[in-house]
Amino acid sequence: MSSNRTRRTHATLVALAAGALVLTACSSGAGTNTEGGNDRSGAEAQRSQIAFGDAAASKGAAEEVPGARKGGTIKVYQRDTYSHLDPAQIYVSDEGALATLLFRKLTTYHMDNKGKYTVVGDLATDSGQSSDGGKTWKYTLKDNVKWEDGSPITAKDIRHSIERTFAPFITDGPYYLQQWLADTNSTDYRKLLKDGPYKGKHLPDSVLETPDDKTIVFHFKSPHPDLPYALAMAGYAAVQEKKDTKEKYDKAPQSSGPYKIKPGSFKSGKGMTLVRNTEWDPKTDNSRHQYVDKFDIQFGVSYPDSTQRLIADNSDNQTAVSFNNQVDAASMQTVSNDPKVKKRSTSGYQPYVGVINFNMKRIKDKKVREALAYAMPTQAVLDAYGTPGGGELAGSYISPTVTGYKDIDPYGKLKKPLGDVAKAKKILKDAGKTGMKITFAYMNAPEPQKYSVSIVDNLKKAGFDVQPKDLPSDTYYDVIGKVDNKFDIYASAWGADWPSASTVLPPTMDGRQVQDGSPNYSHYDNPEVSKEMDRIAKMSDQEKASEEWFKLNEKILKEDLPAIPTFYYKQIQLHGSKVGGVVNNDIISGVDPTKLFLKK
Amino acid sequence: MLRFLFRRSLGAIVILLLISAFTFFLFFAAPKDPALLSCGKNCTPDAIALIHKNLGLDKPIPVQYWDFMSGIVTGRDFAQGPCPAPCFGYSFANGDPVWDTIIDRFPTTISLTIGGAAVFLTVGLGTGMIAAWKQGKLVDKVFSSASLVLSSMQIYFIGPIVLALLVYNLEILGQPKYVNFTDNPAAWFMGLLIPWCVLSVIFTAQYTRMARSSMIEQLAEEHVRTARAKGMTRGTVFFRYAWRGSLIPIVTIFGIDLGSLFGGAMITEQTFALPGLGTLAVKSVRDTDLPMVMGVMLFAAAFIVLFNIIVDACYAFIDPRVRLS
């Protein structure tokens, strides 16, 4: 997924600095951790394959959160208004967190009280039954799953939910499933059902079959073993056919989860109120709770503002939390050094990995890229985003949150994060490129401004003739996304959509994706690598595929070096002293709203 | 008076048309494509073209401008539904109806603006008058020095300090917030008290200095000297003759300051997380949300122009020597 919040948002994106917004799924992750701080053990514990749960694993009700009680109202501080409430338009993580309370999907991620994740059936009885080596997937709906108006959720609703994602007005959500159904890698998937289901046409049974009210069968032309992951995305949540108002649905969606939107309460830029959905049956849901009576969400509260309020922990702030706001970089030391505040913090990984891209169209000599990599002060990049807590030095293109993660560090960036200038200088000299001109583009935003000074300094010491060039934050990603951009090195970030490297390497490293606007910002094109990606993508054995993705990741890094990783993104969040059940959920990159309760 | 109002109204319409054209066409000179707002993950040229079509950005810019402006008068139809006049369209960012959003946000900003103005007019004029009354005395020196210091205190600087001190540490006041006046007048007042004071600090300082100098100038006028020579008391001369005359330049400046006050309200709203037109304007510009930018810009411009007409009309009442014709 594009770096952060919306791509719309490119700019915002890097505000990513401050916060991950794109809904992503990482894999494993730090899971729980309420009593302040976090180390890597949580993520490491989760690096084993996330299991696809069977019917037993998918059965409700969810295990109780220790100490939980019912009742009360939790105040929620959010920086951004939710741009979309129509699940098909949801891709960013702040809306994804909200979606966990409102919408149910065929599958979902279950996080147990120990922080272990499993993909389980949500509306479906299990995570899916595959045949044909992953080309056919069958789902059966649970009994007694209902919409907020009390009517049953049927296979017809699920068919409608999927078919409407082909409609022209659905532009912001994920489109993995649409592409798989249309058997294409591009946006021409819409041709399969160009108006969606709104003009009487439907997907053929050879693609999507709903033989009865309970059964949904997907037929793909290629194996798609990742389907249970994809269906767990908020973008594929169920939409009630008879209540579908097309574009207007974005303002008044029907709930299938434990909470629903209080009618008329959503005010863009102001806030919204969630109240209990009385038609939600906890016995059908093994992942969500309905502890508090209401969530009173306030928009427009900046990170510094929410941080100050929650540090103060006075009056209403004692019962407040934020689903997505992070501790602002300037307050990280305060949070870290004050045990009372630290105790009310939660932290975890985000699925994003920051890198410094090398423009492969311009820097074709690998020795030069090596010299750049060795000289790069990755610690300075990380420090700019706030330490401790803003992240962790990276050695790989893939985050520790992704299943099968392995630590690698072929360029010694973990051992020498300030940069090995001497080694870089020697490599550059041996290559006969001392004094080579390098144009370094960076975003005109606080964090890049900070780290750019160190980068320029190190590169100059290594023997490069560095030409720094700041770019407006609003258009930064558009500019570096141009294949013919005039820059040699620049920073970007990318996160997995689900806990598989299949959502990291193909978008960012597949040469066939090199085009304007593509996230392959290095414009890296190695046909052999692309071929290998195709091979791995078809593997039905998830564990084996995971190993292969990481081998390919290491091969790209060692042999071609199109970018040097800088740091893995992490976030720290605070909550009021009277809020319980606060755990970090790596899948939604923040506090898990479904487990929250108010203490006495 | 009617001729005056008619002539000024026509002028106001021309001003608003110029502002609308300038804003609209300037928008398209921006390097950022609004299609990126809703482009999802991979913004391929196909995806961008589809969004352009959805938003109506595939039409020639003059046609888009005409559609927009005519919609304000006649209303328009959108995929989201009919948009009755005055129709400013729907937000590119989140599909909200622009006019409804503006109306929803306006009470916050007008409360902030009027409250802030009330504070700086009362305190600023009051201290300025006292300083002039006590010219050269300790009080004058204290007020004059304080106004110098306070006139350099920016909202984004003192706002967080006041919050940290009064709200988070001493807990004397609650978190600033906007509550509808009609719902709870006391909560409305208490919720905006800090923002009013913070917003008005610089203005208060400036109006203190302005009122003082204007008053001292008036006190030196011949008619004031004549009044004194005729044996009137100092208080009568001060309030009946000098004070009234000193208001003329202040009222003029106040009309101009409304625009600045709106700008100050933007920063104040951001500082205290108040959902007004200021935060809406900032977000709209950041999002390249053309309909919302246009709506907020025209609404604010109309408001400022209207207020200036009112201020101009007030001249006649403040100083009978001024003739509106």
Side-chain angles (χ1 to χ4, degrees):
Chain A
M1 79 199 16
S2 74
S3 338
N4 291 336
R5 168 153 191 143
T6 48
R7 159 157 178 123
R8 65 179 92 185
T9 44
H10 282 177
T12 322
L13 168 83
V14 176
L16 151 108
L21 292 176
V22 176
L23 169 60
T24 82
C26 1
S27 74
S28 26
T32 62
N33 135 41
T34 46
E35 297 304 297
N38 184 22
D39 56 32
R40 219 166 166 190
S41 59
E44 284 168 355
Q46 295 297 326
R47 281 181 201 156
S48 56
Q49 190 72 32
I50 290 184
F52 289 164
D54 58 13
S58 306
K59 200 174 176 185
E63 60 182 331
E64 293 295 327
V65 176
R69 58 183 280 272
K70 288 200 165 195
T73 298
I74 285 183
K75 200 167 184 62
V76 183
Y77 298 137
Q78 292 288 108
R79 182 183 64 181
D80 301 299
T81 295
Y82 299 123
S83 295
H84 295 296
L85 298 176
D86 181 338
Q89 298 274 45
I90 291 179
Y91 209 147
V92 299
S93 62
D94 50 354
E95 289 158 11
L98 175 76
T100 60
L101 295 172
L102 298 176
F103 308 123
R104 298 183 67 177
K105 306 147 287 184
L106 283 177
T107 63
T108 193
Y109 292 90
H110 169 69
M111 179 174 64
D112 67 18
N113 286 342
K114 293 175 183 169
K116 184 171 175 57
Y117 297 96
T118 313
V119 177
V120 298
D122 188 359
L123 290 171
T125 53
D126 56 31
S127 59
Q129 301 289 325
S130 73
S131 53
D132 290 346
K135 290 183 184 174
T136 302
W137 285 84
K138 181 181 174 188
Y139 290 89
T140 305
L141 294 179
K142 290 174 181 171
D143 294 329
N144 211 30
V145 286
K146 294 177 184 174
W147 297 107
E148 67 174 80
D149 65 1
S151 57
I153 297 173
T154 66
K156 210 176 158 197
D157 287 320
I158 302 299
R159 169 184 276 277
H160 180 79
S161 308
I162 293 164
E163 289 179 336
R164 71 194 294 277
T165 62
F166 288 81
F169 69 89
I170 301 293
T171 58
D172 235 358
Y175 45 81
Y176 290 101
L177 181 57
Q178 300 93 304
Q179 288 183 329
W180 294 348
L181 290 169
D183 196 35
T184 178
N185 284 325
S186 70
T187 49
D188 66 1
Y189 68 82
R190 290 184 195 275
K191 289 178 185 167
L192 186 63
L193 193 65
K194 69 183 177 68
D195 296 311
Y198 300 107
K199 292 190 177 173
K201 290 188 178 176
H202 296 281
L203 292 172
D205 281 355
S206 60
V207 170
L208 181 63
E209 200 180 348
T210 47
D212 55 50
D213 276 354
K214 292 274 185 187
T215 310
I216 303 105
V217 185
F218 296 91
H219 299 285
F220 303 116
K221 287 185 179 163
S222 308
H224 287 293
D226 280 0
L227 183 67
Y229 287 138
L231 291 176
M233 297 177 83
Y236 295 120
V239 170
Q240 189 175 10
E241 183 179 13
K242 70 177 182 182
K243 295 285 177 71
D244 183 6
T245 49
K246 298 176 69 180
E247 287 92 343
K248 292 181 193 169
Y249 196 78
D250 214 11
K251 296 296 167 200
Q254 294 297 299
S255 166
S256 51
Y259 291 87
K260 59 183 179 182
I261 301 167
K262 184 182 175 185
S265 71
F266 179 80
K267 297 280 185 189
S268 184
K270 287 186 167 179
M272 69 191 296
T273 303
L274 307 183
V275 294
R276 290 180 192 274
N277 175 9
T278 53
E279 296 298 333
W280 173 78
D281 181 354
K283 290 176 187 162
T284 68
D285 196 329
N286 85 330
S287 304
R288 302 175 183 84
H289 296 281
Q290 197 186 48
Y291 290 135
V292 297
D293 296 330
K294 288 195 295 183
F295 286 96
D296 182 9
I297 302 172
Q298 183 185 349
F299 302 132
V301 184
S302 66
Y303 288 2
D305 193 359
S306 62
T307 302
Q308 289 308 311
R309 293 185 193 195
L310 292 169
I311 286 176
D313 196 38
N314 60 342
S315 58
D316 284 356
N317 294 320
Q318 292 182 334
T319 56
V321 71
S322 176
F323 295 158
N324 304 91
N325 276 24
Q326 301 170 26
V327 172
D328 71 297
S331 302
M332 279 188 184
Q333 288 291 349
T334 306
V335 173
S336 178
N337 295 338
D338 186 335
K340 284 182 185 171
V341 178
K342 190 174 180 183
K343 193 178 175 186
R344 291 186 288 105
S345 70
T346 309
S347 67
Y349 283 91
Q350 297 177 347
Y352 308 100
V353 180
V355 301
I356 300 288
N357 295 92
F358 305 139
N359 187 339
M360 299 289 281
K361 297 275 183 196
R362 292 167 61 89
I363 308 179
K364 295 184 178 173
D365 186 341
K366 197 205 164 196
K367 286 291 177 190
V368 175
R369 298 198 295 274
E370 278 184 12
L372 287 167
Y374 281 114
M376 203 57 65
T378 50
Q379 183 70 55
V381 181
L382 173 58
D383 288 347
Y385 288 88
T387 48
E392 177 183 297
L393 289 168
S396 165
Y397 297 133
I398 305 171
S399 162
T401 62
V402 171
T403 298
Y405 172 87
K406 286 188 294 187
D407 275 325
I408 55 171
D409 186 22
Y411 298 95
K413 302 311 293 181
L414 304 183
K415 290 175 187 162
K416 293 191 173 179
L418 298 177
D420 190 343
V421 173
K423 189 166 187 176
K425 195 171 184 176
K426 183 174 185 310
I427 292 172
L428 196 63
K429 188 180 175 187
D430 291 348
K433 301 278 184 166
T434 300
M436 180 180 176
K437 186 177 171 183
I438 289 288
T439 309
F440 165 41
Y442 63 93
M443 184 184 288
N444 192 351
E447 296 83 5
Q449 280 171 350
K450 279 186 199 166
Y451 67 68
S452 65
V453 176
S454 301
I455 289 179
V456 169
D457 189 43
N458 267 26
L459 294 186
K460 278 184 178 171
K461 285 178 185 168
F464 288 102
D465 174 12
V466 192
Q467 307 290 320
K469 168 75 177 167
D470 61 330
L471 299 175
S473 58
D474 279 359
T475 54
Y476 177 79
Y477 276 86
D478 300 323
V479 173
I480 66 167
K482 298 272 187 199
V483 179
D484 64 347
N485 77 58
K486 306 298 180 197
F487 310 113
D488 296 308
I489 60 173
Y490 33 80
S492 69
W494 187 260
D497 279 334
W498 56 75
S500 163
S502 65
T503 62
V504 178
L505 294 184
T508 59
M509 298 292 175
D510 187 345
R512 294 163 297 188
Q513 301 287 335
V514 174
Q515 57 174 322
D516 286 354
S518 158
N520 184 344
Y521 295 113
S522 294
H523 315 312
Y524 169 61
D525 183 7
N526 182 338
E528 191 189 326
V529 166
S530 299
K531 197 174 165 188
E532 179 68 357
M533 286 180 186
D534 289 344
R535 185 187 72 81
I536 303 171
K538 288 176 183 169
M539 293 175 69
S540 54
D541 182 338
Q542 286 286 287
E543 204 158 337
K544 183 71 182 160
S546 182
E547 281 178 26
E548 295 296 307
W549 282 123
F550 275 92
K551 279 183 191 168
L552 182 61
N553 168 59
E554 193 166 355
K555 175 185 163 73
I556 295 170
L557 187 56
K558 279 183 176 172
E559 296 181 9
D560 291 336
L561 187 60
I564 188 73
T566 51
F567 72 101
Y568 304 127
Y569 282 81
K570 295 171 78 173
Q571 88 280 340
I572 298 182
Q573 294 176 274
L574 290 176
H575 58 86
S577 56
K578 290 186 178 172
V579 181
V582 187
V583 295
N584 185 77
N585 184 325
D586 283 350
I587 305 299
I588 55 175
S589 297
V591 165
D592 188 335
T594 66
K595 297 180 187 297
L596 298 177
F597 65 88
L598 279 180
K599 299 174 187 172
K600 281 182 182 173
Chain B
M1 174 63 101
L2 282 176
R3 274 187 64 191
F4 165 79
L5 289 176
F6 180 72
R7 204 172 62 238
R8 290 302 301 267
S9 299
L10 278 181
I13 290 170
V14 172
I15 289 170
L16 292 177
L17 280 173
L18 286 174
I19 289 173
S20 72
F22 183 74
T23 308
F24 198 92
F25 290 101
L26 190 67
F27 175 86
F28 286 95
K32 190 176 172 187
D33 187 341
L36 297 177
L37 276 171
S38 45
C39 197
K41 181 176 170 183
N42 283 323
C43 255
T44 61
D46 285 352
I48 289 176
L50 175 66
I51 296 165
H52 279 170
K53 191 178 174 192
N54 289 349
L55 299 177
L57 293 169
D58 55 337
K59 297 177 185 172
I61 295 173
V63 174
Q64 290 181 50
Y65 178 66
W66 172 254
D67 288 347
F68 183 85
M69 296 305 291
S70 59
I72 296 174
V73 182
T74 62
R76 292 169 72 186
D77 285 323
F78 287 89
Q80 291 94 331
C83 175
C87 171
F88 289 85
Y90 288 86
S91 162
F92 284 173
N94 54 28
D96 284 341
V98 171
W99 180 248
D100 291 356
T101 305
I102 290 171
I103 294 303
D104 183 54
R105 300 291 190 92
F106 182 59
T108 306
T109 304
I110 195 68
S111 296
L112 194 56
T113 306
I114 290 178
V119 170
F120 76 68
L121 282 177
T122 310
V123 180
L125 291 186
T127 51
M129 296 295 171
I130 293 170
W133 178 275
K134 301 287 184 186
Q135 190 186 354
K137 305 270 177 63
L138 180 64
V139 174
D140 178 27
K141 288 173 182 171
V142 169
F143 284 167
S144 297
S145 305
S147 68
L148 272 176
V149 174
L150 292 177
S151 62
S152 60
M153 293 288 186
Q154 298 295 328
I155 296 165
Y156 50 78
F157 174 69
I158 51 174
I161 292 175
V162 171
L163 272 180
L165 188 67
L166 299 182
V167 179
Y168 300 139
N169 289 325
L170 299 177
E171 298 188 27
I172 294 170
L173 292 168
Q175 189 77 41
K177 59 183 175 185
Y178 178 76
V179 177
N180 277 331
F181 179 80
T182 49
D183 291 347
N184 187 338
W188 172 82
F189 181 84
M190 293 307 294
L192 290 174
L193 188 57
I194 291 178
W196 283 335
C197 294
V198 170
L199 170 63
S200 64
V201 164
I202 290 180
F203 291 100
T204 301
Q206 289 171 348
Y207 276 72
T208 297
R209 298 175 67 190
M210 199 159 42
R212 178 185 176 278
S213 61
S214 181
M215 195 66 185
I216 290 171
E217 199 176 300
Q218 283 295 313
L219 288 171
E221 289 283 331
E222 288 180 358
H223 68 282
V224 175
R225 264 209 314 273
T226 306
R228 274 192 184 164
K230 287 171 75 176
M232 289 185 183
T233 62
R234 193 179 175 207
T236 305
V237 171
F238 194 89
F239 290 106
R240 190 167 168 185
Y241 295 97
W243 185 72
R244 200 167 170 182
S246 71
L247 284 182
I248 298 291
I250 291 171
V251 168
T252 307
I253 293 295
F254 179 66
I256 296 167
D257 275 348
L258 267 183
S260 309
L261 196 59
F262 185 75
M266 281 188 184
I267 301 170
T268 310
E269 287 171 13
Q270 294 275 43
T271 303
F272 297 107
L274 298 172
L277 288 176
T279 47
L280 182 63
V282 171
K283 184 178 185 304
S284 306
V285 170
R286 193 183 291 156
D287 286 350
T288 334
D289 188 354
L290 176 62
M292 201 63 86
V293 169
M294 287 292 291
V296 175
M297 181 69 82
L298 287 176
F299 188 85
F303 183 73
I304 291 170
V305 167
L306 174 69
F307 211 87
N308 270 283
I309 294 174
I310 294 171
V311 167
D312 287 351
C314 286
Y315 283 158
F317 297 101
I318 296 170
D319 188 348
R321 293 173 299 179
V322 177
R323 292 287 175 265
L324 295 177
S325 58

